[in-house]
Amino acid sequence: MKKVIDLGKYIEIAINYLQVTFSPIWDAMDDGISWTVDNMTAFLLSIPFVVLLIAITFLAYYANAGRRSLKKEGFKKGLGLSIFIIFGFLLIYGMGYWKEAIQTTTLVLVSTVIALIIGIPFGVLSAKSKIADAVIKPILDFMQTMPAFVYLIPAIFFFSVGNTPGVIATVIFSVPPAVRLTSLGIRNVQKEVIEAGRAFGATENQILFKIELPLAMPTILTGVNQVILLSLSMVVIASMVGARGLGSIVYQGIQQNNVAKGFESGLGIVILAIMLDRITQAFANKNQINKDE
Amino acid sequence: MANEENKNIKLRVEDLTLIFGKRKKEALAMLNKGVSKEEILRKTKCTVGINKANFEVFEGEIFVVMGLSGSGKSTLIRCLNRLNEPTAGKVFFKDHDITRAGNKELMDTRRNEMSMVFQNFGLLPHRTILDNATFGLELRGDSKEARYERGMEVLETVGLKGYEEHYPGAMSGGMQQRVGLARALANNTDVLLMDEAFSALDPLIKSDMQDELLQIQGKLHKTIVFITHDLDEAFKIGDRIAIMKDGVIEQIGTAEEILSNPASDYIKAFIEKVDRKTVITAETLMFRKPTIVQLGKDGPKGAIRKMRSTGVYVLPVENTERKFLGYVELKDVIQLARQKERTVEKALQTDVPSVHREYTVEEMIPLISENSYPIAVVDRKSGRLHGLVTQTSIVIEATRYDDDEVTELIEKANEI
């Protein structure tokens, strides 16, 4: 087929232009993200395995049991996940992928934090302004439907290989639910509650921080949960541009046609995913329970 | 009301108009020319929410705005603190126009002058009752200690002492609305805007809350604008009532004024369902300036002459200080005249029914069957006679409501 419209060429020109013109910014971002990821990984690895295992087990237990931690019903609620984490982590450690698991966790957490820092304000904006919403929505659709691999190419362009392009690609892929669910949460806040705030002389900022965001919190936390899971689903893809962790082992498994390697590391990712999902979900639910109690 | 002139006007609304839609100016111009609402809607796609409302709210009264859904009553109350922006007209509060207030002034008014209670409470589910009640104080920047001290005070006022640490989700509607009321009281504003405050509650709780509100009002003497779609509620708590229909205020007056003198067929149809017995008072029913026999001035002959000229056989008697004493009957005075007595004192019946002017028909019904005298309406302090209520008029008032009651009354009368 003959190519009539050479759109890709213009995109390439634009990307080139951006890369050259703003290179100090890209460099700074690269330095910042690499520094954070490296130091966080190093810090987590410096903690003895047993200590970290106990700490995360307790965190998971508290997330589920909450204020009833010391009571029987709390015990019932929190026990399952705690046992799962203990066995899961022992398995990862035993398979020899502890370091990779920590690297993956760090990557996911850093991406999640960046995605939320970007996503929540845009979510607020799209809830507040119809025009902003009309602009943001198609962009989100674009970000979510564009195959994730495509983001890798310019990411390498801007940041070369390593953790940074992995984080950036992950952030682009996982930002949409943060924006969407923040926006949804805020738009679903009962009109009368906001009106009550207005009637008592609340400023726009007070309405946002004292009424809308707290009431939207359960929905926003569901968004956080989604962001984390999407980030995890990106780790294998991110490893293609040099991001370290369990994803890179899976990638190696594919390249070497090594079923054992692929399965072990894949299972590690599943265990991390279940842990992160259950803990964040428990925190989201706890926020909801507070209201009905 | 008799002493309306002495009252301070707290809120004055002049030609308040609110139009929904995009072509407001056009619609307003048409409205001013007298074009009908339907015509305006057809030509500009604008809805007239409120059409030139005029009223005053006096200090310390409960002013009720009554209307069915879509009548514009909730829109109207929201114009008072500008949750809704009026299209035209003025709202004077303490003689400055709220509709022209700048942002800061408006904020100040909302924080310190007018607070509001909402139909669905508008509480924050993630905050405790105490934090909800003190929300207005927090918004205006009061210190935590001052806030909580005031919060405990108002929670006690509304009967929620001991619930400070609870969450709204765990409470019944009635209790949640108490929190809403506490929050409005906490700011210590003069004016309270209550938008269908009790409409979401069960009938029994609703009635409790109305009593509670009246009780609190008896202590605090706020100026309250109360919105409702419930006529019984309006009559129960309202000092004065404005009835709204299609964005227009059809009539303003006390419950009695509206009942005894409905301004339109719409209102007439409306009040047919109201239990008149509980609203119509002695003051409305009585005929004023009846012929009176004065003890010490009119002798038996004078009394007979007065009876002959008025055509009745019973007359009320006053002493020279014009205090109501009782009745004399024709047959007794004739006897006294034969005995050549100088005064009617011996014929005086003192064991007679008397009421004060605010007694309702319902309260007067039991007095009917005791004897056949008209019921005297006397002044609470001076004991002077305001007028007389005939038993017939009470029966008529009662019968407008319930046929069974009349039969019962007639039976009772026959027994005697």
Side-chain angles (χ1 to χ4, degrees):
Chain A
M1 273 250 304
K2 200 181 160 218
K3 204 168 177 125
V4 181
I5 303 170
D6 203 356
L7 184 64
K9 200 178 150 195
Y10 299 117
I11 298 286
E12 201 183 312
I13 291 169
I15 299 276
N16 260 325
Y17 173 78
L18 287 175
Q19 197 238 325
V20 175
T21 325
F22 299 107
S23 71
I25 298 178
W26 312 132
D27 288 347
M29 276 170 76
D30 191 5
D31 291 346
I33 291 171
S34 300
W35 186 87
T36 314
V37 172
D38 291 345
N39 280 292
M40 205 168 145
T41 313
F43 169 73
L44 288 175
L45 283 173
S46 73
I47 303 171
F49 168 70
V50 179
V51 176
L52 205 56
L53 173 66
I54 293 172
I56 291 176
T57 308
F58 271 111
L59 178 73
Y61 179 76
Y62 175 75
N64 275 294
R67 268 181 288 170
R68 301 199 190 84
S69 286
L70 298 175
K71 291 180 186 158
K72 202 178 165 189
E73 39 182 329
F75 190 65
K76 266 187 196 160
K77 265 189 181 171
L79 193 64
L81 183 61
S82 302
I83 290 175
F84 173 81
I85 287 174
I86 291 169
F87 281 101
F89 276 25
L90 282 173
L91 182 65
I92 293 176
Y93 193 80
M95 292 188 298
Y97 292 129
W98 182 243
K99 188 180 157 204
E100 282 77 10
I102 291 291
Q103 284 170 341
T104 296
T105 311
T106 310
L107 219 61
V108 167
L109 292 182
V110 170
S111 310
T112 303
V113 168
I114 296 174
L116 294 179
I117 291 173
I118 297 168
I120 292 177
F122 275 105
V124 171
L125 194 66
S126 104
K128 294 263 171 178
S129 148
K130 271 186 191 161
I131 298 170
D133 192 45
V135 175
I136 289 171
K137 256 198 185 145
I139 295 178
L140 294 181
D141 293 337
F142 181 88
M143 284 162 77
Q144 275 188 310
T145 44
M146 183 63 109
F149 292 93
V150 178
Y151 300 132
L152 297 178
I153 309 162
I156 298 175
F157 227 77
F158 288 123
F159 306 107
S160 79
V161 278
N163 279 328
T164 310
V167 168
I168 296 295
T170 307
V171 166
I172 295 174
F173 188 64
S174 63
V175 139
V179 180
R180 280 192 217 275
L181 285 160
T182 303
S183 171
L184 178 74
I186 286 181
R187 269 184 282 130
N188 278 354
V189 172
Q190 225 193 356
K191 286 280 164 299
E192 211 175 32
V193 185
I194 295 169
E195 223 179 19
R198 287 236 157 80
F200 283 93
T203 59
E204 286 305 315
N205 273 340
Q206 285 176 323
I207 286 176
L208 180 64
F209 287 106
K210 288 180 190 281
I211 301 175
E212 289 175 325
L213 282 178
L215 290 187
M217 204 39 88
T219 318
I220 294 175
L221 285 177
T222 309
V224 173
N225 177 271
Q226 292 296 305
V227 169
I228 288 178
L229 292 186
L230 283 183
S231 302
L232 255 176
S233 73
M234 272 294 281
V235 293
V236 178
I237 297 169
S239 69
M240 291 166 68
V241 290
R244 288 179 295 263
L246 288 170
S248 64
I249 309 284
V250 175
Y251 193 46
Q252 281 172 29
I254 297 168
Q255 283 174 328
Q256 299 162 3
N257 214 356
N258 186 336
V259 177
K261 223 176 193 177
F263 183 79
E264 283 177 355
S265 49
L267 189 65
I269 292 176
V270 171
I271 292 168
L272 284 186
I274 292 176
M275 174 197 84
L276 288 170
D277 174 55
R278 295 297 187 274
I279 292 178
T280 48
Q281 242 182 42
F283 275 115
N285 287 341
K286 210 163 70 175
N287 221 285
Q288 204 127 33
I289 290 165
N290 248 346
K291 301 168 167 189
D292 310 326
E293 246 168 0
Chain B
M1 226 162 265
N3 47 354
E4 238 165 58
E5 302 79 32
N6 311 336
K7 292 203 165 181
N8 290 325
I9 293 170
K10 199 85 192 179
L11 271 169
R12 193 167 82 242
V13 171
E14 277 178 15
D15 283 334
L16 191 73
T17 304
L18 189 141
I19 294 166
F20 295 107
K22 283 188 178 152
R23 292 152 72 187
K24 288 191 175 85
K25 271 189 187 163
E26 236 173 290
L28 186 65
M30 287 170 81
L31 192 69
N32 285 336
K33 271 185 216 155
V35 181
S36 78
K37 267 179 84 166
E38 292 74 23
E39 187 84 9
I40 291 173
L41 179 63
R42 211 159 45 82
K43 286 203 172 141
T44 67
K45 295 206 172 89
C46 284
T47 320
V48 180
I50 304 166
N51 187 354
K52 291 184 186 153
N54 282 289
F55 62 88
E56 286 158 350
V57 183
F58 300 117
E59 191 168 350
E61 78 168 339
I62 301 183
F63 184 82
V64 175
V65 181
M66 218 285 311
L68 298 182
S69 58
S71 62
K73 56 190 189 307
S74 285
T75 315
L76 178 69
I77 199 173
R78 278 168 174 69
C79 285
L80 301 182
N81 62 356
R82 274 177 57 194
L83 286 178
N84 283 348
E85 211 57 65
T87 313
K90 291 171 179 141
V91 176
F92 287 101
F93 173 70
K94 286 184 173 168
D95 283 327
H96 58 106
D97 186 357
I98 289 180
T99 57
R100 284 160 184 262
N103 223 342
K104 202 167 161 268
E105 199 183 334
L106 180 64
M107 217 56 104
D108 192 59
T109 305
R110 288 172 176 177
R111 288 178 173 183
N112 303 313
E113 315 277 13
M114 282 185 201
S115 46
M116 194 160 178
V117 183
F118 293 85
Q119 177 171 13
N120 295 311
F121 324 130
L123 300 178
L124 294 163
H126 64 290
R127 287 167 162 251
T128 63
I129 298 308
L130 184 60
D131 281 332
N132 263 295
T134 56
F135 188 54
L137 304 178
E138 186 183 326
L139 290 177
R140 74 180 185 201
D142 289 12
S143 76
K144 199 166 183 172
E145 294 83 46
R147 221 154 73 200
Y148 281 0
E149 197 186 320
R150 178 77 185 138
M152 297 303 249
E153 239 172 77
V154 287
L155 283 178
E156 192 170 349
T157 308
V158 300
L160 283 181
K161 203 180 174 188
Y163 287 92
E164 297 84 15
E165 298 306 316
H166 287 228
Y167 284 86
M171 301 183 113
S172 69
M175 286 170 102
Q176 289 194 43
Q177 193 57 298
R178 280 167 201 263
V179 182
L181 187 58
R183 178 176 63 185
L185 292 174
N187 282 41
N188 210 4
T189 55
D190 286 347
V191 177
L192 230 57
L193 306 175
M194 303 183 76
D195 180 28
E196 300 247 16
F198 305 146
S199 299
L201 305 177
D202 295 337
L204 268 179
I205 295 166
K206 185 173 175 176
S207 171
D208 274 357
M209 289 296 287
Q210 291 163 351
D211 294 337
E212 187 105 11
L213 178 69
L214 290 174
Q215 208 184 332
I216 291 170
Q217 170 69 352
K219 274 184 249 161
L220 301 179
H221 309 292
K222 303 276 182 191
T223 303
I224 300 176
V225 180
F226 193 104
I227 303 289
T228 182
H229 63 257
D230 177 351
L231 196 61
D232 290 328
E233 180 169 71
F235 283 171
K236 178 170 174 184
I237 65 172
D239 291 318
R240 288 187 311 137
I241 297 153
I243 297 186
M244 260 185 116
K245 185 201 170 199
D246 294 338
V248 179
I249 293 184
E250 297 244 318
Q251 187 174 11
I252 299 177
T254 62
E256 271 193 85
E257 281 163 12
I258 289 172
L259 273 181
S260 47
N261 208 352
S264 68
D265 289 343
Y266 175 76
I267 295 176
K268 231 180 255 172
F270 226 124
I271 58 182
E272 261 173 13
K273 292 164 205 133
V274 174
D275 190 350
R276 295 174 62 95
K277 293 202 304 295
T278 62
V279 179
I280 298 285
T281 62
E283 187 169 17
T284 318
L285 285 183
M286 71 188 182
F287 60 91
R288 288 148 215 265
K289 294 184 185 153
T291 312
I292 288 165
V293 177
Q294 234 181 18
L295 197 66
K297 200 175 143 205
D298 296 317
K301 279 186 181 163
I304 293 167
R305 202 165 39 246
K306 280 186 177 176
M307 284 178 191
R308 190 182 295 148
S309 66
T310 51
V312 293
Y313 60 92
V314 178
L315 277 182
V317 182
E318 281 181 349
N319 65 13
T320 40
E321 276 104 51
R322 311 210 56 192
K323 191 173 182 297
F324 174 72
L325 299 173
Y327 294 104
V328 285
E329 271 190 72
L330 181 60
K331 57 178 173 33
D332 299 333
V333 262
I334 288 173
Q335 218 151 38
L336 290 183
R338 281 187 189 140
Q339 291 160 11
K340 305 230 155 82
E341 285 278 348
R342 282 287 174 99
T343 71
V344 292
E345 204 170 352
K346 282 184 182 160
L348 188 64
Q349 305 277 346
T350 51
D351 184 23
V352 295
S354 72
V355 295
H356 302 303
R357 54 178 9 150
E358 72 277 5
Y359 273 54
T360 61
V361 171
E362 193 172 37
E363 289 165 310
M364 289 191 288
I365 287 174
L367 302 174
I368 292 176
S369 44
E370 284 170 17
N371 55 52
S372 55
Y373 298 137
I375 292 165
V377 184
V378 298
D379 192 85
R380 204 179 273 278
K381 280 191 199 134
S382 64
R384 276 176 66 170
L385 188 68
H386 288 305
L388 299 174
V389 180
T390 64
Q391 302 204 351
T392 334
S393 59
I394 292 174
V395 174
I396 289 171
E397 269 312 322
T399 52
R400 277 196 200 168
Y401 176 65
D402 193 340
D403 283 338
D404 295 339
E405 210 128 21
V406 186
T407 339
E408 201 183 312
L409 281 172
I410 292 169
E411 273 168 17
K412 259 191 193 164
N414 286 341
E415 277 168 33
I416 297 161

